[in-house]
Short mmCIF file of all heavy atoms in Angstrom, two decimals:
data_model
loop_
_atom_site.label_atom_id
_atom_site.label_comp_id
_atom_site.label_asym_id
_atom_site.label_seq_id
_atom_site.Cartn_x
_atom_site.Cartn_y
_atom_site.Cartn_z
N GLY A 27 25.25 -25.41 -114.63
CA GLY A 27 26.61 -25.29 -114.11
C GLY A 27 27.41 -26.57 -114.25
O GLY A 27 28.58 -26.56 -114.69
N PHE A 28 26.80 -27.71 -113.91
CA PHE A 28 27.53 -28.99 -113.98
C PHE A 28 27.85 -29.38 -115.42
O PHE A 28 28.97 -29.81 -115.71
CB PHE A 28 26.71 -30.07 -113.28
CG PHE A 28 27.47 -31.35 -113.06
CD1 PHE A 28 28.75 -31.34 -112.53
CD2 PHE A 28 26.89 -32.58 -113.38
CE1 PHE A 28 29.45 -32.53 -112.32
CE2 PHE A 28 27.57 -33.76 -113.17
CZ PHE A 28 28.85 -33.73 -112.65
N PRO A 29 26.92 -29.24 -116.39
CA PRO A 29 27.29 -29.52 -117.78
C PRO A 29 28.43 -28.63 -118.28
O PRO A 29 29.28 -29.08 -119.06
CB PRO A 29 25.99 -29.23 -118.56
CG PRO A 29 24.91 -29.50 -117.57
CD PRO A 29 25.46 -29.03 -116.26
N LEU A 30 28.46 -27.36 -117.85
CA LEU A 30 29.57 -26.49 -118.23
C LEU A 30 30.88 -27.01 -117.67
O LEU A 30 31.92 -27.00 -118.37
CB LEU A 30 29.32 -25.06 -117.72
CG LEU A 30 28.33 -24.22 -118.53
CD1 LEU A 30 27.92 -22.97 -117.75
CD2 LEU A 30 28.94 -23.82 -119.88
N ALA A 31 30.87 -27.47 -116.40
CA ALA A 31 32.09 -28.01 -115.80
C ALA A 31 32.55 -29.27 -116.54
O ALA A 31 33.75 -29.47 -116.77
CB ALA A 31 31.86 -28.31 -114.32
N LYS A 32 31.61 -30.13 -116.90
CA LYS A 32 31.97 -31.37 -117.60
C LYS A 32 32.54 -31.09 -118.99
O LYS A 32 33.30 -31.89 -119.53
CB LYS A 32 30.75 -32.28 -117.71
CG LYS A 32 30.33 -32.89 -116.38
CD LYS A 32 29.34 -34.04 -116.55
CE LYS A 32 28.01 -33.57 -117.04
NZ LYS A 32 27.00 -34.66 -117.08
N SER A 33 32.17 -29.94 -119.56
CA SER A 33 32.70 -29.59 -120.88
C SER A 33 33.99 -28.77 -120.78
O SER A 33 34.44 -28.21 -121.79
CB SER A 33 31.65 -28.80 -121.67
OG SER A 33 31.38 -27.56 -121.05
N GLY A 34 34.57 -28.68 -119.58
CA GLY A 34 35.83 -27.96 -119.39
C GLY A 34 35.68 -26.48 -119.13
O GLY A 34 36.66 -25.74 -119.20
N GLN A 35 34.47 -26.01 -118.84
CA GLN A 35 34.23 -24.59 -118.60
C GLN A 35 33.81 -24.33 -117.15
O GLN A 35 33.03 -23.43 -116.87
CB GLN A 35 33.14 -24.07 -119.55
CG GLN A 35 33.47 -24.23 -121.02
CD GLN A 35 32.37 -23.68 -121.90
OE1 GLN A 35 32.24 -22.46 -122.06
NE2 GLN A 35 31.58 -24.56 -122.48
N GLY A 36 34.35 -25.12 -116.22
CA GLY A 36 34.01 -24.97 -114.82
C GLY A 36 34.39 -23.60 -114.28
O GLY A 36 33.63 -22.99 -113.52
N ALA A 37 35.57 -23.10 -114.66
CA ALA A 37 36.02 -21.79 -114.17
C ALA A 37 35.11 -20.68 -114.68
O ALA A 37 34.82 -19.72 -113.96
CB ALA A 37 37.46 -21.53 -114.61
N ARG A 38 34.64 -20.82 -115.92
CA ARG A 38 33.71 -19.83 -116.48
C ARG A 38 32.41 -19.80 -115.68
O ARG A 38 31.91 -18.73 -115.31
CB ARG A 38 33.42 -20.15 -117.94
CG ARG A 38 32.43 -19.21 -118.60
CD ARG A 38 31.99 -19.73 -119.96
NE ARG A 38 31.02 -18.86 -120.60
CZ ARG A 38 30.31 -19.19 -121.67
NH1 ARG A 38 30.47 -20.40 -122.22
NH2 ARG A 38 29.44 -18.34 -122.19
N ALA A 39 31.87 -20.98 -115.41
CA ALA A 39 30.62 -21.07 -114.66
C ALA A 39 30.79 -20.54 -113.24
O ALA A 39 29.92 -19.83 -112.71
CB ALA A 39 30.12 -22.51 -114.63
N LEU A 40 31.92 -20.87 -112.61
CA LEU A 40 32.15 -20.41 -111.23
C LEU A 40 32.33 -18.90 -111.17
O LEU A 40 31.75 -18.23 -110.29
CB LEU A 40 33.38 -21.10 -110.64
CG LEU A 40 33.21 -22.55 -110.20
CD1 LEU A 40 34.52 -23.12 -109.70
CD2 LEU A 40 32.14 -22.66 -109.12
N SER A 41 33.13 -18.33 -112.06
CA SER A 41 33.34 -16.88 -112.01
C SER A 41 32.04 -16.13 -112.30
O SER A 41 31.75 -15.11 -111.66
CB SER A 41 34.43 -16.46 -113.01
OG SER A 41 34.04 -16.77 -114.34
N ALA A 42 31.23 -16.64 -113.23
CA ALA A 42 29.93 -16.03 -113.50
C ALA A 42 29.03 -16.15 -112.27
O ALA A 42 28.32 -15.20 -111.90
CB ALA A 42 29.26 -16.68 -114.71
N GLY A 43 29.06 -17.31 -111.62
CA GLY A 43 28.24 -17.52 -110.43
C GLY A 43 28.67 -16.64 -109.28
O GLY A 43 27.83 -16.05 -108.58
N PHE A 44 30.01 -16.51 -109.06
CA PHE A 44 30.50 -15.69 -107.94
C PHE A 44 30.15 -14.21 -108.14
O PHE A 44 29.70 -13.53 -107.21
CB PHE A 44 32.01 -15.84 -107.79
CG PHE A 44 32.45 -17.22 -107.42
CD1 PHE A 44 33.69 -17.71 -107.81
CD2 PHE A 44 31.62 -18.06 -106.69
CE1 PHE A 44 34.10 -18.99 -107.46
CE2 PHE A 44 32.01 -19.35 -106.35
CZ PHE A 44 33.26 -19.81 -106.74
N LEU A 45 30.36 -13.70 -109.37
CA LEU A 45 30.07 -12.29 -109.62
C LEU A 45 28.57 -12.02 -109.55
O LEU A 45 28.13 -10.99 -109.01
CB LEU A 45 30.62 -11.88 -110.99
CG LEU A 45 30.46 -10.39 -111.35
CD1 LEU A 45 31.09 -9.50 -110.29
CD2 LEU A 45 31.07 -10.10 -112.73
N SER A 46 27.77 -12.96 -110.06
CA SER A 46 26.31 -12.81 -109.98
C SER A 46 25.85 -12.83 -108.52
O SER A 46 24.96 -12.06 -108.12
CB SER A 46 25.61 -13.94 -110.75
OG SER A 46 25.99 -13.93 -112.10
N SER A 47 26.45 -13.71 -107.72
CA SER A 47 26.11 -13.76 -106.29
C SER A 47 26.45 -12.45 -105.60
O SER A 47 25.67 -11.95 -104.77
CB SER A 47 26.87 -14.91 -105.61
OG SER A 47 26.45 -16.16 -106.11
N LEU A 48 27.61 -11.89 -105.93
CA LEU A 48 28.02 -10.62 -105.34
C LEU A 48 27.02 -9.51 -105.69
O LEU A 48 26.55 -8.79 -104.80
CB LEU A 48 29.42 -10.25 -105.85
CG LEU A 48 29.90 -8.81 -105.56
CD1 LEU A 48 29.96 -8.56 -104.06
CD2 LEU A 48 31.25 -8.56 -106.21
N LEU A 49 26.68 -9.40 -106.98
CA LEU A 49 25.77 -8.34 -107.41
C LEU A 49 24.37 -8.55 -106.82
O LEU A 49 23.70 -7.59 -106.41
CB LEU A 49 25.71 -8.29 -108.94
CG LEU A 49 27.03 -7.92 -109.63
CD1 LEU A 49 26.88 -8.01 -111.14
CD2 LEU A 49 27.49 -6.53 -109.22
N GLY A 50 23.92 -9.80 -106.76
CA GLY A 50 22.61 -10.09 -106.17
C GLY A 50 22.57 -9.75 -104.69
O GLY A 50 21.60 -9.18 -104.19
N GLY A 51 23.64 -10.09 -103.97
CA GLY A 51 23.70 -9.77 -102.54
C GLY A 51 23.71 -8.28 -102.29
O GLY A 51 23.05 -7.78 -101.36
N LEU A 52 24.46 -7.53 -103.11
CA LEU A 52 24.49 -6.07 -102.95
C LEU A 52 23.13 -5.46 -103.27
O LEU A 52 22.69 -4.51 -102.61
CB LEU A 52 25.57 -5.48 -103.87
CG LEU A 52 27.02 -5.81 -103.49
CD1 LEU A 52 27.98 -5.23 -104.51
CD2 LEU A 52 27.36 -5.30 -102.09
N PHE A 53 22.45 -6.02 -104.26
CA PHE A 53 21.10 -5.53 -104.59
C PHE A 53 20.16 -5.78 -103.42
O PHE A 53 19.33 -4.92 -103.08
CB PHE A 53 20.58 -6.23 -105.84
CG PHE A 53 19.20 -5.78 -106.25
CD1 PHE A 53 19.04 -4.68 -107.08
CD2 PHE A 53 18.06 -6.44 -105.81
CE1 PHE A 53 17.77 -4.24 -107.46
CE2 PHE A 53 16.80 -6.02 -106.18
CZ PHE A 53 16.65 -4.92 -107.01
N GLY A 54 20.26 -6.96 -102.78
CA GLY A 54 19.42 -7.26 -101.62
C GLY A 54 19.66 -6.28 -100.49
O GLY A 54 18.71 -5.82 -99.83
N ALA A 55 20.94 -5.94 -100.24
CA ALA A 55 21.25 -4.97 -99.18
C ALA A 55 20.71 -3.59 -99.53
O ALA A 55 20.19 -2.87 -98.66
CB ALA A 55 22.77 -4.90 -98.98
N LEU A 56 20.81 -3.20 -100.81
CA LEU A 56 20.29 -1.90 -101.25
C LEU A 56 18.78 -1.85 -101.10
O LEU A 56 18.21 -0.84 -100.63
CB LEU A 56 20.69 -1.65 -102.71
CG LEU A 56 20.27 -0.31 -103.32
CD1 LEU A 56 20.93 0.85 -102.58
CD2 LEU A 56 20.61 -0.27 -104.80
N LEU A 57 18.10 -2.93 -101.48
CA LEU A 57 16.64 -2.98 -101.35
C LEU A 57 16.21 -2.91 -99.89
O LEU A 57 15.23 -2.24 -99.54
CB LEU A 57 16.11 -4.26 -101.99
CG LEU A 57 14.58 -4.43 -101.96
CD1 LEU A 57 13.92 -3.43 -102.88
CD2 LEU A 57 14.19 -5.84 -102.36
N LEU A 58 16.95 -3.61 -99.01
CA LEU A 58 16.64 -3.56 -97.58
C LEU A 58 16.76 -2.14 -97.05
O LEU A 58 15.91 -1.67 -96.29
CB LEU A 58 17.58 -4.50 -96.82
CG LEU A 58 17.46 -4.53 -95.29
CD1 LEU A 58 16.06 -4.92 -94.86
CD2 LEU A 58 18.49 -5.50 -94.70
N THR A 59 17.79 -1.42 -97.48
CA THR A 59 17.98 -0.03 -97.05
C THR A 59 16.81 0.84 -97.50
O THR A 59 16.25 1.62 -96.72
CB THR A 59 19.29 0.53 -97.62
OG1 THR A 59 20.37 -0.33 -97.27
CG2 THR A 59 19.56 1.93 -97.09
N ALA A 60 16.44 0.70 -98.78
CA ALA A 60 15.34 1.51 -99.32
C ALA A 60 14.03 1.19 -98.63
O ALA A 60 13.22 2.08 -98.32
CB ALA A 60 15.22 1.28 -100.83
N THR A 61 13.80 -0.10 -98.35
CA THR A 61 12.56 -0.51 -97.70
C THR A 61 12.45 0.07 -96.30
O THR A 61 11.38 0.51 -95.87
CB THR A 61 12.47 -2.05 -97.63
OG1 THR A 61 12.59 -2.58 -98.95
CG2 THR A 61 11.17 -2.50 -97.02
N LEU A 62 13.56 0.08 -95.57
CA LEU A 62 13.54 0.60 -94.21
C LEU A 62 13.21 2.09 -94.19
O LEU A 62 12.55 2.58 -93.27
CB LEU A 62 14.88 0.35 -93.53
CG LEU A 62 15.20 -1.12 -93.23
CD1 LEU A 62 16.59 -1.23 -92.60
CD2 LEU A 62 14.17 -1.73 -92.30
N GLN A 63 13.68 2.81 -95.20
CA GLN A 63 13.37 4.24 -95.25
C GLN A 63 11.88 4.48 -95.43
O GLN A 63 11.29 5.38 -94.84
CB GLN A 63 14.14 4.90 -96.42
CG GLN A 63 15.65 4.79 -96.32
CD GLN A 63 16.21 5.47 -95.08
OE1 GLN A 63 15.69 6.46 -94.61
NE2 GLN A 63 17.29 4.92 -94.54
N VAL A 64 11.24 3.64 -96.25
CA VAL A 64 9.80 3.78 -96.51
C VAL A 64 8.98 3.24 -95.35
O VAL A 64 7.87 3.70 -95.06
CB VAL A 64 9.42 3.05 -97.82
CG1 VAL A 64 7.92 3.10 -98.07
CG2 VAL A 64 10.18 3.65 -99.00
N ALA A 65 9.54 2.21 -94.67
CA ALA A 65 8.75 1.46 -93.68
C ALA A 65 8.53 2.21 -92.37
O ALA A 65 7.71 1.79 -91.56
CB ALA A 65 9.44 0.13 -93.38
N ARG A 66 9.24 3.29 -92.13
CA ARG A 66 9.10 3.99 -90.85
C ARG A 66 7.63 4.35 -90.56
O ARG A 66 7.14 4.17 -89.46
CB ARG A 66 9.94 5.27 -90.86
CG ARG A 66 11.44 5.03 -90.77
CD ARG A 66 12.19 6.36 -90.88
NE ARG A 66 13.62 6.17 -90.82
CZ ARG A 66 14.35 6.22 -89.71
NH1 ARG A 66 13.75 6.42 -88.55
NH2 ARG A 66 15.65 6.05 -89.73
N GLN A 67 6.94 4.88 -91.58
CA GLN A 67 5.56 5.28 -91.38
C GLN A 67 4.63 4.07 -91.38
O GLN A 67 3.67 4.00 -90.61
CB GLN A 67 5.13 6.27 -92.48
CG GLN A 67 3.72 6.81 -92.31
CD GLN A 67 3.54 7.56 -91.00
OE1 GLN A 67 4.44 8.29 -90.56
NE2 GLN A 67 2.40 7.39 -90.36
N VAL A 68 4.92 3.08 -92.23
CA VAL A 68 4.05 1.91 -92.35
C VAL A 68 3.98 1.14 -91.05
O VAL A 68 2.91 0.67 -90.63
CB VAL A 68 4.54 0.99 -93.49
CG1 VAL A 68 3.70 -0.28 -93.56
CG2 VAL A 68 4.49 1.73 -94.82
N VAL A 69 5.12 1.00 -90.36
CA VAL A 69 5.17 0.23 -89.12
C VAL A 69 4.26 0.83 -88.06
O VAL A 69 3.68 0.12 -87.22
CB VAL A 69 6.63 0.15 -88.60
CG1 VAL A 69 6.68 -0.41 -87.20
CG2 VAL A 69 7.45 -0.73 -89.54
N LEU A 70 4.07 2.15 -88.09
CA LEU A 70 3.22 2.82 -87.09
C LEU A 70 1.75 2.43 -87.25
O LEU A 70 0.95 2.63 -86.32
CB LEU A 70 3.38 4.34 -87.21
CG LEU A 70 4.79 4.89 -86.93
CD1 LEU A 70 4.81 6.39 -87.14
CD2 LEU A 70 5.24 4.53 -85.52
N TRP A 71 1.37 1.90 -88.41
CA TRP A 71 -0.02 1.47 -88.62
C TRP A 71 -0.31 0.13 -87.94
O TRP A 71 -1.46 -0.28 -87.86
CB TRP A 71 -0.31 1.33 -90.11
CG TRP A 71 -0.14 2.60 -90.90
CD1 TRP A 71 -0.09 3.87 -90.42
CD2 TRP A 71 0.01 2.70 -92.32
NE1 TRP A 71 0.09 4.77 -91.44
CE2 TRP A 71 0.14 4.08 -92.63
CE3 TRP A 71 0.04 1.78 -93.36
CZ2 TRP A 71 0.30 4.54 -93.92
CZ3 TRP A 71 0.19 2.24 -94.66
CH2 TRP A 71 0.32 3.60 -94.94
#
């Protein structure tokens, strides 16, 4: 990221980072939802 900023592509690196963070966070929330559905029976053990 820092070499990209030093070469004048800071906005490119930031926008890629922000969108990747958004998609990664949404994936984490989706995985948490799916895990909770499966975990109902597992927790009883």
Side-chain angles (χ1 to χ4, degrees):
F28 191 47
L30 282 166
K32 289 194 291 185
S33 65
Q35 301 181 76
R38 178 190 179 192
L40 284 178
S41 62
F44 296 151
L45 184 56
S46 301
S47 295
L48 168 61
L49 296 176
L52 292 177
F53 181 87
L56 182 63
L57 181 69
L58 177 58
T59 306
T61 303
L62 291 178
Q63 300 299 327
V64 176
R66 288 176 181 268
Q67 183 60 39
V68 176
V69 169
L70 298 178
W71 300 343

